[in-house]
Each structure stands twice: as C-alpha cells, then as structure tokens.
C-alpha cells in the first residue's frame, strides 16, 4: 500500500488533506499511540482509523458533546446577530466601536463555522436574526424586562429592528459575552474525552474573554477610563439584574450572568473567593475583591439556557 | 503518547510557522506527518520506560500527570507574579503611568500573586520549587513601551508577551488534564488571563484585543494555543540558569 499515493489522490479532490493530517489536530498523535500496539497485518485498519479521525467524527461523538457544542453554537448565533444588528444600526456606534465590533462579529462568525465543522449534521439550524428578540419581549408576548431593552429592536418588529441606545447595547453585549465565557467554562468538563474538541473550545473561550475585556473598556469610557466596570468581573457585579428562568428544569428560579448557577457549590456566583476549598482571602496577600476578580466562574447548561431564553423570539424554540 | 522522545525533530506545535514558509507547506506536511505516522510503527518496539527526558540538562522538569500540569501553571504564575511585583516598584509605574494604567497593573499584580499562592497551596505533593529565579534583564521597567533602538522590552511589551503566552499555555495544557475539577480550575484562571491580555494590548494599540498574532482571525476564530514545550522555550528566556523548565512528558 502506498500511503503517499493515497494521500496525493485525496489531495486532488480535497486540497485541505494535508492540513487535516496536521499533527496539531492530534491525528498522528493518536495514530502513534495506536501504532505501538499494532502489527504490520493491522496497518490497513490503522490507516482507516487515521482517515476517520481526520474527516469528522460526528457518528462517534457522545451526545453530551453534541449538546454542549450545540448550546455553544446557539450562544454564538445570539451574539453574532446581536453585533451584526448593531453594526447595521446607523449612528449607534463610534468609529472605534465599529472597528472593535467588526472584529468581534468576525470572530463569532468563525466560531459558528468552526462549531458547525465539528458537529456537521448534528448542528442545529441557523436560527437567523428572526430567532432572537433582544428587547426581551419574546416577540411581543411580554413587556421588555427593563424599559431600556426596548431600544434593542423595533417596536413593531422586535426581531428585525435596529438598535438605538449605545449604553444599553454595550451593557447587554457585556452580559452576553460574560455568559458565553461562563458557558464554555462550564461546558469544558463535558469535552474532556475529546481532546481536540476540548482544545478548540478552550481556544474559543479565551477569545470570548478578550471580547468581554474590550466591551468593558468601552463601558468605562475607553481604555484609559478609570471608572467601573473593570475589564475583569468584580464582586460588586453580583448578583446583577435577575431574570426569569423561562421554566428551564434544573435552573434557579431567577438567573443572571453573574449569579450562582444550579448547584451553587459547583457553579458559584462571580464574587466567589474560595477555590478548591482554599479561601483566597486568608493568605495575607488577597483582598476579597482581588480574590474574586482573579478567578472567573463556570455556569451550568440549565442556567445558561434559562438566561438565554429571555433573548429568544420564541423561548420554546431555542436553548433547549 | 507522552513517550514521544523529546529529541524528535517534529514538534507538535511550533509557533514559528514563518520558518517553514520557504518550504511548500503541503510537501513539508506530507513528509513530516506521513513520516511520523509510519514512525509510529517503529515505536512498537519501545518499552514504556522510555518516557524519561534527558537528564543532566539543568532544567527543572514539571513532572507527570495532573501534578505536572499544575506545576507548569504554578511556574508560569510565579513568573508573572514576580514580573508585576517588579513593575509596580519600577520607574514607569511610579512615574509616568496614567491613573488607569496604575489601577490595571496593581490589579494584575494582585491577581497573579493570588494565582501563585493558590497553586502553592493546591499542589500538596510533588510541587516544584517555590523560588524560581526570574531573569528580567531584558526588560526596562522605566519604559512604558520598548524605546526606539533599545534592546530591552518596555513594560507593556513584556506584559503583553507574558499574558498572551499565559493564555496560549493554559489552552494548550487543557488536553493533558485528567481531573475535571482541575480542568475547570484552569478555565477559571485562563479567562482572567485573557481579560488581562486584551487590556494590555489595548493600552498599546487600539483594537488589537484580538489580532492575528494570537488568534486565527481568518479561518477558525480560535486562540493559537501552544504546547508546554513551545511555551517553555519562551518562558525560559525570563528565567535564570538553574530555574529554567522542561515539560518532557507533555508533547
């Protein structure tokens, strides 16, 4: 068997074949480990394993992995359409903000494509802009949860309208991105058996945290602003504005991006200062403020869904 | 997998792709990757005992398993804490730093010290030394950014290097962690490091919080994570002889 010839043949129809075999995707790493145990007679099987690993693996993805990534995907769409609407709302953003949110929207678009590339046919359908109602009116079936949220969409058509208030846009954007950071952090444990997918998710997680840092600096009037909020989450931000849970089973009755999730020990509020049983306030160097700031907290899937459903046009259609 | 001999010529993640640029990337991969695959068969004869790295190298190895990864994180946090401790005592901080910059660096120092002390307390057994000796001779603590013509890095440039490296390091280490609680803990820290990185980058140049040197902004939107051995090659530039590190079991 001429492995080089086979790979070259594939390259005729799939120019990306060499990238698929890139060692950073750990295909060869896995293959190496496998190779140790196989005899020459088993080489064809080993090669077939190699190609399976290079070309998608949805058929073998555990359901918990699919669920975790699909929740992440819905959050990415939530954010993508949010920033996209803002960028298409004339007069909403300063030029510096337009540049920043263009970068952020581009990242979310790529995250969507990366997640879809892993999930393949298991991915949810694109909810489109119409799937989301950022005024929190759930497509005019209730009043916006806060009066200011009415500026995040049209009155007659909350699922298509433009945004009109800069401060509200930044505030809700920060809440979205901080929820996303907590969701990826909470979801990482579900991916521990799928090392390449785990690493990709971690590599999205940190990009979301970079976004949060940037949005927070806009909210304090620029990077040289010395007021709140800081670029990291401070304990006085908890619990934040509490939102209804939309009947999500297992979520707390009221939820917020900064409050505790379901199982407050595992998913504490962002003012938590105890890590792995160690109190960060007693080491002599830490204040409760710095101790809380130095660690972000994960959030469970149920609580994330409960928060996000408030921004769905139809809360039964998304974040299930 | 951890038996990958450290001397193997193909590192899994190099952060110097430009070095490969003159060679057609695809043909390089064809021979390196495919060769690597076949190489796997030769390893069939190796025993499991071949895992130990070269001895007598003068490097402190972080060890194996989850303790090894925790030690790796502890070492990086020691380095960052030492750096910011020196920043807030330096002429830039005490002199020309703006109010916002002072507040930011003060917080960063506190956060990194807390991270360091956390790992010191959390790694009950098998912990590496608590007294890694940093070498910051390449940093000018009086300069906000690298001065024109200077061989030394400015404070912001060095901070950016440390923070971006820290994010890439935690992201690249996640796959080696077995215990889900440790994985979550690493996640709790890395997002704070990413917040730091973005702030420092914004202080240097507007809207560089995400840029192509640290994130793949064209195809995946993913942070460019780095494997421990790649990270340590950079980190060791800021450590004295005798305090330099290796991570032979994490390739």
């Amino acid at each position: 068997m001429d492995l080089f010839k086979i790979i070259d043949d594939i390259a005729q129809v799939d120019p990306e074949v060499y990238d698929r075999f890139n060692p950073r995707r750990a295909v060869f790493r896995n293959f190496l480990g496998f190779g140790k145990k196989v005899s020459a007679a088993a080489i064809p099987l080993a090669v077939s394993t190699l190609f399976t690993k290079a070309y998608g693996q949805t058929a073998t993805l555990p359901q918990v992995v699919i669920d975790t990534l699909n929740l992440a995907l819905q959050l990415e769409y939530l954010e993508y359409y949010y920033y996209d609407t803002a960028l298409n709302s004339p007069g909403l953003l300063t030029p510096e903000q337009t540049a920043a949110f263009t970068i952020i929207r581009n990242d979310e678009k790529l995250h969507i494509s990366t997640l879809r590339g892993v999930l393949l046919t298991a991915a949810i359908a694109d909810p489109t802009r119409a799937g989301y109602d950022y005024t929190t009116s759930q497509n005019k079936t209730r009043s916006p949860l806060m009066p200011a949220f009415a500026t995040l969409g049209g009155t007659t058509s909350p699922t298509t309208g433009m945004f009109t208030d800069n401060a509200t846009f930044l505030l809700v954007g920060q809440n979205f991105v901080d929820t996303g950071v907590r969701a990826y952090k909470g979801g990482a444990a579900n991916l521990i058996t799928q090392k390449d997918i785990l690493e990709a998710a971690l590599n999205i997680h940190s990009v979301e945290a970079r976004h949060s840092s940037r949005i927070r600096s806009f909210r304090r009037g620029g990077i040289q602003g010395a007021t709140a909020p800081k670029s990291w989450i401070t304990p006085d931000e908890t619990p934040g504005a509490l939102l209804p849970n939309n009947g999500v089973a297992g979520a707390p009755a009221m939820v917020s991006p900064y409050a505790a999730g379901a199982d407050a020990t595992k998913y504490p509020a962002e003012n938590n200062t105890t890590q792995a049983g160690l109190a960060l306030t007693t080491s002599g160097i830490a204040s409760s403020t710095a101790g809380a700031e130095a660690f972000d907290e994960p959030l469970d899937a149920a609580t994330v869904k409960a928060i996000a459903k408030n921004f769905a046009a139809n809360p039964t259609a998304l974040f299930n | 997998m951890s038996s990958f001999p450290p001397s193997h010529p193909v590192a899994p993640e190099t952060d110097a792709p430009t070095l490969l640029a003159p060679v057609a990337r695809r043909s390089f991969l064809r021979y390196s990757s495919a060769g690597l695959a076949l190489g796997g068969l030769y390893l069939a004869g190796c025993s499991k005992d071949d895992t130990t790295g070269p001895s007598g190298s003068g490097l402190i190895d972080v060890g194996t398993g989850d303790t090894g990864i925790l030690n790796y994180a502890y070492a990086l946090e020691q380095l960052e804490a030492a750096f910011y401790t020196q920043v807030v005592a330096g002429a830039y901080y005490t002199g020309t730093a703006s109010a916002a910059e002072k507040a930011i660096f003060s917080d960063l120092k506190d956060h990194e010290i807390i991270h360091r002390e956390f790992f010191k307390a959390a790694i009950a057994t098998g912990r590496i030394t608590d007294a890694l000796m940093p070498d910051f001779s390449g940093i000018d603590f009086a300069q906000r950014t690298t001065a024109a013509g200077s061989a030394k890095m400015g404070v912001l440039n060095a901070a950016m290097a440390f923070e971006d490296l820290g994010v890439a390091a935690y992201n690249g280490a996640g796959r080696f962690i077995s215990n889900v609680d440790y994985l979550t803990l690493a996640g709790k820290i890395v997002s704070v490091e990413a917040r730091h990185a973005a702030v420092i980058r914004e202080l240097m140049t507007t809207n560089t919080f995400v840029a192509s040197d640290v994130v793949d902004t064209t195809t995946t939107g993913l942070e460019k994570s780095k494997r421990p051995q790649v990270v340590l090659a950079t980190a060791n530039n800021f450590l004295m002889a005798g305090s330099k590190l290796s991570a032979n079991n994490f390739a």
Side-chain angles (χ1 to χ4, degrees), chain A residues 3-4 7-8 15-16 18-19 21-24 26 28-33 35-36 38 43 50 96 99-100 103-104 106-107 110-111 113-114 178 181 185 188-189 192 195-196 198-200 202-207 209-214 216 218 220 223-226 230-233 268 272 274-276 278 280 283 285-287 290-291 293-298, chain B residues 1 3-4 10 12-14 25-26 29-31 33-41 43-44 98-101 104 107-108 110-111 113-115 117-118 121-122 144 164 167 170-172 174-175 177-180 183-185 187-192 194-199 201-203 206-210 214-225 227 251:
Chain A
L3 185 58
F4 283 162
I7 294 175
D8 276 345
E16 303 301 322
Y18 289 111
D19 289 325
F21 288 149
N22 184 326
R24 83 174 51 188
F28 280 87
R29 191 183 318 281
N30 294 333
F31 190 67
L32 271 172
K36 279 188 195 182
V38 301
I43 287 176
L50 171 71
E96 184 178 319
I103 293 170
I104 293 175
N106 179 58
D107 290 341
L110 293 173
H111 293 166
S113 128
T114 295
D178 282 338
V181 171
K185 208 186 315 297
I192 197 163
K195 301 303 185 187
D196 293 340
L198 170 67
E199 188 159 338
L202 294 175
N203 282 330
I204 293 177
H205 171 244
S206 60
V207 171
R210 287 176 183 268
H211 294 172
S212 172
S213 181
R214 184 67 183 109
R216 285 165 167 272
F218 282 128
R220 62 174 183 267
I223 195 67
Q224 289 289 353
K230 293 182 179 182
S231 289
W232 24 95
I233 301 171
N272 174 42
T274 299
Q275 299 296 343
L278 300 164
L280 303 178
S283 60
I285 43 86
S287 67
E293 289 171 359
F295 290 77
D296 283 342
E297 298 299 335
Chain B
M1 260 93 66
S3 61
F4 211 25
V10 181
E13 284 238 300
T14 117
R25 178 169 162 79
R26 299 226 152 128
L29 284 170
R30 164 179 159 153
Y31 290 107
S33 297
L36 200 54
L38 298 175
L41 300 175
L43 286 177
S98 69
E101 290 166 11
I104 287 168
D107 278 359
L108 264 50
D110 287 350
H111 298 171
I113 289 176
I114 288 167
H115 292 165
E117 294 301 306
F118 169 75
R144 182 178 185 272
D164 284 337
V167 176
Y170 276 101
N171 284 1
R175 68 185 308 120
I177 299 175
S178 307
N179 180 318
V180 289
L183 180 63
T184 301
L185 267 169
K188 290 175 177 221
I189 293 174
V190 69
S191 53
V192 174
R195 293 170 186 277
H196 293 172
V199 155
R201 296 175 71 94
E202 288 301 310
L203 285 175
T206 301
N207 285 332
T208 55
F209 59 108
V210 166
V214 286
V215 175
D216 177 344
T217 55
T218 54
T219 56
T220 63
L222 301 180
E223 184 102 28
K224 296 179 177 177
S225 51
R227 294 289 159 82

Side-chain angles (χ1 to χ4, degrees), chain B residues 7-56:
Chain B
S7 58
H8 200 284
V10 181
E13 284 238 300
T14 117
D15 57 352
T18 48
L19 294 178
L20 305 178
V23 183
R25 178 169 162 79
R26 299 226 152 128
S27 63
F28 172 80
L29 284 170
R30 164 179 159 153
Y31 290 107
S32 63
S33 297
L36 200 54
L38 298 175
L41 300 175
Y42 291 102
L43 286 177
C46 300
S47 81
K48 246 199 145 211
D49 299 336
D50 297 338
T51 53
T52 345
S55 56

Side-chain angles (χ1 to χ4, degrees), chain B:
Chain B
M1 260 93 66
S2 58
S3 61
F4 211 25
S7 58
H8 200 284
V10 181
E13 284 238 300
T14 117
D15 57 352
T18 48
L19 294 178
L20 305 178
V23 183
R25 178 169 162 79
R26 299 226 152 128
S27 63
F28 172 80
L29 284 170
R30 164 179 159 153
Y31 290 107
S32 63
S33 297
L36 200 54
L38 298 175
L41 300 175
Y42 291 102
L43 286 177
C46 300
S47 81
K48 246 199 145 211
D49 299 336
D50 297 338
T51 53
T52 345
S55 56
S57 57
L59 300 176
I60 300 170
D61 196 81
V62 296
T64 60
D66 284 353
T67 301
I69 292 299
L70 294 175
N71 270 328
Y72 171 58
Y74 179 43
L76 295 175
E77 297 294 354
Q78 282 194 52
L79 189 56
E80 285 194 284
F83 169 69
Y84 289 115
T85 299
Q86 205 156 328
V87 166
V88 301
Y92 151 70
Y93 182 89
T94 57
T96 58
S98 69
E101 290 166 11
K102 280 192 166 75
I104 287 168
F105 278 110
S106 174
D107 278 359
L108 264 50
K109 178 204 62 156
D110 287 350
H111 298 171
E112 304 303 357
I113 289 176
I114 288 167
H115 292 165
R116 181 193 68 198
E117 294 301 306
F118 169 75
F119 282 114
K120 184 177 176 180
I123 309 171
T125 56
R127 191 171 76 243
I128 58 164
T129 175
D130 301 326
L132 286 178
M133 295 294 293
D135 176 0
F136 295 140
S137 59
I139 300 168
D140 183 345
F141 288 91
Q143 295 292 335
R144 182 178 185 272
T145 55
T146 305
S150 170
K152 294 194 174 193
M153 300 172 89
V155 169
L156 288 178
N157 301 73
M160 183 174 113
F162 284 126
E163 296 294 348
D164 284 337
L165 185 69
V167 176
Y170 276 101
N171 284 1
R175 68 185 308 120
F176 299 111
I177 299 175
S178 307
N179 180 318
V180 289
D181 293 336
Y182 294 149
L183 180 63
T184 301
L185 267 169
K188 290 175 177 221
I189 293 174
V190 69
S191 53
V192 174
E193 303 289 356
R195 293 170 186 277
H196 293 172
V199 155
I200 297 293
R201 296 175 71 94
E202 288 301 310
L203 285 175
M204 292 190 70
T205 311
T206 301
N207 285 332
T208 55
F209 59 108
V210 166
S212 58
D213 58 328
V214 286
V215 175
D216 177 344
T217 55
T218 54
T219 56
T220 63
L222 301 180
E223 184 102 28
K224 296 179 177 177
S225 51
K226 293 177 181 172
R227 294 289 159 82
Q229 293 176 351
V230 177
V231 169
L232 292 181
T234 302
N236 281 341
N237 294 325
F238 299 96
L239 290 165
M240 301 286 238
S243 283
K244 294 182 192 292
L245 301 155
S246 64
N248 292 330
N249 295 286
F250 304 106

